[in-house]
Amino acid sequence: MKGLQVGICGIALAALVGCSAMGTGDKRIDYRSEAASVPPLEVPPDLTMPAGSDRYRVPEGEGESVATYSDYTKGSGKGGAVGGGVLPTVKGVHLERSGAQRWLVVENTPENVWPVVKAFFTDLGLTIKSEDQAAGVMETEWAENRAKIPEGGLRSIIGKVFDNLYSTNTRDQFRVRLERSKDGRSTEVYLTHRGTEEMLSADGSSSKWQPRPADPELEAEMLQRLMVRFGSTEAQAAAEVKGAAAGAGAARLEQVSGGSIIVLNEPFDKSWRRVGLAIDRARLAVEDKDRARGIFFLRPVKAEGGLLEKLKFWKDSADTNKRYRVNIKDAGSACEVSVTDENGQGNDMSKQIVEEIYKNISQ
């Protein structure tokens, strides 16, 4: 019996070693969706298959339709439609920047850009947590980047088979916000990263997830991949993302009667973009926006823990049910940013929201 056990263990170890030789090479991003896969829906023989729609079409490569992001980037897609539908063809994209902030401009309407962005996240293994197409905001679930798990040793032998035994102490979340450009024919795509890290207690008996700073390099990597998804070559996308940063106008916080305002030494269009990205980084939920009037409408939210727990106004249940507005007043070469409640009044909460936006504008 002992000999049999030894033999079985030897066979299992050999299988593990064999599996370890089937690695996929280095990747800086490797997210895994936790959503359970389900079998495809079967149509009974007495029913006809519903007609397909050309509304959604996967972007094409060199004369070939593609089914996955990896096939698309290789230019040799072999697949057809995904999930019975295809994505709209969206080509023409370039990157713009203001200081350290970057965003994409896609030569198509938000209605066509939206499903391509959603498919991009899904293909990366990220699950969509929430989406509000009217507000143009999409957010992923928290996920770990498994490319950060070190290879070698026991990990390289066992990890290929029992991959769930390994995890990192960090999680990532991404938010994308779409804006219709002034010309009405193109779309601005803003992507921001949020990070959290598991921290052990002093005695090591427990742990707690704490926010960690946004990772600009990870945002740049995601923007680069998204550019390729929209039809850019890998070389062109890398060159644009890594290009020299243009200078951003100065920002200062001023105290006025009844609260605080942010003064940006930039014209309205640039100020609007900077404030929007700062709102995303501050984890404030945008319910709607009116670019013509210069207003972001904020949805009542509650703290997810960590960063926002430091802001006292989130702990008042009465305050969390209120809606607030971020107002950007065009003053020509400069803009003033203020926050008021839905009645146009300022209070302690609006003052703290201004300070939080200012902190993220100044990053």
Side-chain angles (χ1 to χ4, degrees), residues 197-210:
E197 185 175 12
E198 188 177 21
M199 304 296 293
L200 291 175
S201 60
D203 59 4
S205 61
S206 62
S207 63
K208 183 178 181 180
W209 290 94
Q210 298 283 359

Side-chain angles (χ1 to χ4, degrees), residues 8 11 18 27 89 95 103 120 135 153 175 187 205 214 216 228 230 287 289 297 310 316 334 363:
I8 293 175
I11 293 173
K27 292 186 291 182
T89 300
L95 182 138
W103 64 92
F120 167 76
R175 174 187 285 189
T187 304
S205 61
V228 174
F230 281 121
E287 186 174 53
K289 53 186 178 292
F297 299 89
K310 299 177 182 178
D316 187 335
Q363 282 187 347

Side-chain angles (χ1 to χ4, degrees), residues 237-291:
E240 289 198 39
V241 169
K242 296 177 181 178
R252 65 181 185 274
L253 187 66
E254 292 187 358
Q255 302 300 319
V256 296
S257 58
S260 304
I261 64 170
I262 303 169
V263 178
L264 295 174
N265 291 329
E266 288 185 319
F268 177 80
D269 285 346
K270 290 186 177 180
S271 296
W272 174 267
R273 296 185 183 107
R274 288 184 69 183
V275 172
L277 283 168
I279 289 173
D280 291 339
R281 293 191 187 282
R283 307 190 182 195
L284 300 172
V286 176
E287 186 174 53
D288 202 356
K289 53 186 178 292
D290 187 337
R291 188 165 182 164

Side-chain angles (χ1 to χ4, degrees), residues 22 29 37 49 69 86 116 118 135 168 229 252 290 319:
M22 300 170 65
I29 297 177
S37 59
M49 180 69 74
Y69 173 71
V86 289
V116 178
K118 185 174 180 179
T168 67
R229 184 64 184 250
R252 65 181 185 274
D290 187 337
D319 281 342

Side-chain angles (χ1 to χ4, degrees), residues 30-32 34 125-126 140-149 163-174 192-199 207-215 218 283 304:
D30 180 18
Y31 293 106
R32 307 287 176 86
E34 296 181 359
L126 291 164
T140 71
E141 291 281 4
W142 289 100
E144 67 174 355
N145 184 355
R146 300 190 64 82
K148 296 179 180 179
I149 299 176
D163 202 40
N164 290 333
L165 293 176
Y166 294 87
S167 65
T168 67
N169 67 332
T170 60
R171 297 291 185 271
D172 299 317
Q173 185 182 59
F174 298 94
T192 53
H193 165 258
R194 302 174 182 175
T196 187
E197 185 175 12
E198 188 177 21
M199 304 296 293
S207 63
K208 183 178 181 180
W209 290 94
Q210 298 283 359
R212 77 181 200 273
D215 186 342
L218 186 55
R283 307 190 182 195
E304 296 180 4

Side-chain angles (χ1 to χ4, degrees), residues 85-136:
V86 289
L87 297 171
T89 300
V90 178
K91 291 187 176 181
V93 58
H94 67 274
L95 182 138
E96 293 187 3
R97 64 176 72 222
S98 176
Q101 298 174 331
R102 306 177 180 93
W103 64 92
L104 304 183
V105 178
V106 184
E107 297 173 8
N108 212 308
T109 62
E111 291 78 11
N112 284 338
V113 171
W114 181 272
V116 178
V117 173
K118 185 174 180 179
F120 167 76
F121 282 134
T122 302
D123 288 348
L124 283 180
L126 291 164
T127 303
I128 303 299
K129 175 184 178 182
S130 63
E131 51 180 314
D132 186 343
Q133 194 163 1

Side-chain angles (χ1 to χ4, degrees), residues 25 37 65 103 133 138 140 160 181-182 229 234 236 240 245 264 286 321 323 331 356 363:
S37 59
S65 63
W103 64 92
Q133 194 163 1
M138 185 185 306
T140 71
K160 303 300 181 181
S181 298
K182 292 176 64 176
R229 184 64 184 250
E234 292 188 10
Q236 178 185 355
E240 289 198 39
L264 295 174
V286 176
N321 292 325
R323 285 172 165 78
E356 191 67 18
Q363 282 187 347

